[in-house]
Amino acid sequence: MHTRLKLHRVNSERLIKEYIQRRLHFTLSRFTDRIDDLSVRISCSPSRADEVVCHVAANVRPFGTITAEALEADVFSAIDLCADRFARRCQSKLARTRDTRLNRVSIRQTELLSAA
């Protein structure tokens, strides 16, 4: 999992970078084999100067690009909320593909049942 971090107009960059790495590793550890590129962007809100926007986007196999965004007053709260949203979206996509796989009916089984 390759991670790109972009911080725009945010103080204490080193501390935030370490926190992002730790939080994303903890939250997304079960999806690391599926995530190719992970991009995290943190910036000040264009409409409100006192709020921070955290945006996470990644190419997740086999689903394509999944994104999540959070707007909070605190940088760390925005990172937490965005990481949790991203993990929930990955989990829901994975559950949907599992459900569709399990709900399929084989043509062979229906042919065998109708022949009997």
Side-chain angles (χ1 to χ4, degrees), residues 11 18 38 43 47-48 51 59 62 64 72 78 84 87 102 109 115:
N11 295 334
E18 291 173 5
L38 183 68
S43 61
S47 59
R48 298 180 185 172
E51 290 190 339
N59 186 16
E72 287 288 321
D84 289 339
L102 292 174
Q109 287 178 349

Side-chain angles (χ1 to χ4, degrees), residues 2 4 35 37-41 55-60 65-68 82 86:
H2 180 263
R4 275 182 289 151
I35 296 175
D37 256 348
L38 183 68
S39 173
V40 180
R41 186 180 70 229
H55 180 85
V56 175
N59 186 16
V60 182
T65 303
I66 297 177
T67 61
C82 196
F86 188 81

Side-chain angles (χ1 to χ4, degrees), residues 13-29:
E13 291 183 10
R14 196 188 76 187
L15 178 66
I16 292 173
K17 285 180 180 181
E18 291 173 5
Y19 184 77
I20 290 170
Q21 290 288 343
R22 190 179 62 213
R23 180 69 177 146
L24 289 176
H25 177 71
F26 176 74
T27 307
L28 303 177
S29 61

